């Protein structure tokens, strides 16, 4: 029971710790770089950008801590909006799939959404590419069926 509780509250505790302990940079222009893999974003984000943890071994802190550190409360809201828009776009492409491809695409969306509880999934290369694969496969299979831009209602 205790492990489950610690795992559940650590992301929120670390988010609260940063909101109440760290002064944000108020730079909305940097938010875009939080939506790309860290292999690209690290060149544009400030050095040493990272959360102030309650306990160093409990490292998860939701996907919104860095957006707060970069741009404050407005940054968190804008980042959440952009991230939900990204999820909606990928989900829209995922539901266009058929058969097992639909299951795999929707599983990728659920994985992305679930990971936002613990960290920013966009910064992981595999998660960022997984979203692109869902979109690319949906477009490719629609093109093969001859219905690239039509909405498929099964």
């Amino acid at each position: 029971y205790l492990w489950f509780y610690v795992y559940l509250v650590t992301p929120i505790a670390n988010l609260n710790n940063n909101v109440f302990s760290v002064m944000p940079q108020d730079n909305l222009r940097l938010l875009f770089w939080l939506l790309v893999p860290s292999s690209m974003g690290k060149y544009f984000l400030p050095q040493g950008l990272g959360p102030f943890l309650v306990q160093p071994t409990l490292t998860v802190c939701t996907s919104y801590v860095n957006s707060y550190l970069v741009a404050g409360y407005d940054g968190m809201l804008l980042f959440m909006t952009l991230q939900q828009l990204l999820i909606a776009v990928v989900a829209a492409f995922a539901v266009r799939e058929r058969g097992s491809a639909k299951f795999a695409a929707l599983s990728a969306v659920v994985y992305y959404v679930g990971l936002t509880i613990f960290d920013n999934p966009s910064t992981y290369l595999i998660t960022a590419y997984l979203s692109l694969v869902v979109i690319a496969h949906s477009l490719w299979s629609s093109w093969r069926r001859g219905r690239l831009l039509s909405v498929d209602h099964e």
Side-chain angles (χ1 to χ4, degrees), residues 1-47:
Y1 170 75
L2 185 62
W3 174 85
F4 177 75
Y5 176 75
V6 169
Y7 204 68
L8 187 66
V9 300
T10 297
I12 300 299
N14 280 329
L15 176 62
N16 283 335
N17 190 43
N18 281 274
V19 167
F20 294 114
S21 303
V22 180
M23 182 64 84
Q25 297 179 10
D26 291 326
N27 190 344
L28 285 171
R29 290 177 290 162
L30 294 177
L31 280 180
F32 169 76
W33 298 109
L34 294 174
L35 286 170
V36 299
S38 59
S39 57
M40 293 183 291
K42 68 182 177 182
Y43 298 110
F44 302 97
L45 292 169
Q47 293 293 325

Side-chain angles (χ1 to χ4, degrees), residues 14 18 21 36 54 56 62 71 79 97 106 117 120 129-130 134 147 154:
N14 280 329
N18 281 274
S21 303
V36 299
V54 173
T62 78
F79 181 76
E97 293 289 347
L106 289 174
I117 297 169
N120 180 3
Y129 285 151
L130 190 58
V134 168
R147 293 183 292 228
E154 294 180 22

Side-chain angles (χ1 to χ4, degrees), residues 7 11 59-65 79 83-84 87 107-128 130-131:
Y7 204 68
T59 59
V60 295
C61 50
T62 78
S63 86
Y64 308 110
V65 169
F79 181 76
Q83 194 174 49
Q84 296 305 315
I87 290 168
S107 296
V109 173
V110 170
Y111 170 72
Y112 186 98
V113 170
L115 195 55
T116 62
I117 297 169
F118 303 105
D119 206 349
N120 180 3
S122 299
T123 60
Y124 297 111
L125 201 57
I126 189 67
T127 311
L130 190 58
S131 299

Side-chain angles (χ1 to χ4, degrees), residues 95-98 102 145 147 149-154:
V95 297
R96 293 179 65 179
E97 293 289 347
R98 294 181 175 188
K102 180 182 262 185
R145 289 191 307 262
R147 293 183 292 228
L149 298 176
S150 66
V151 177
D152 201 18
H153 298 288
E154 294 180 22

Side-chain angles (χ1 to χ4, degrees), residues 139-152:
L139 291 174
W140 178 75
S141 61
S142 294
W143 176 75
R144 284 190 49 147
R145 289 191 307 262
R147 293 183 292 228
L148 183 60
L149 298 176
S150 66
V151 177
D152 201 18

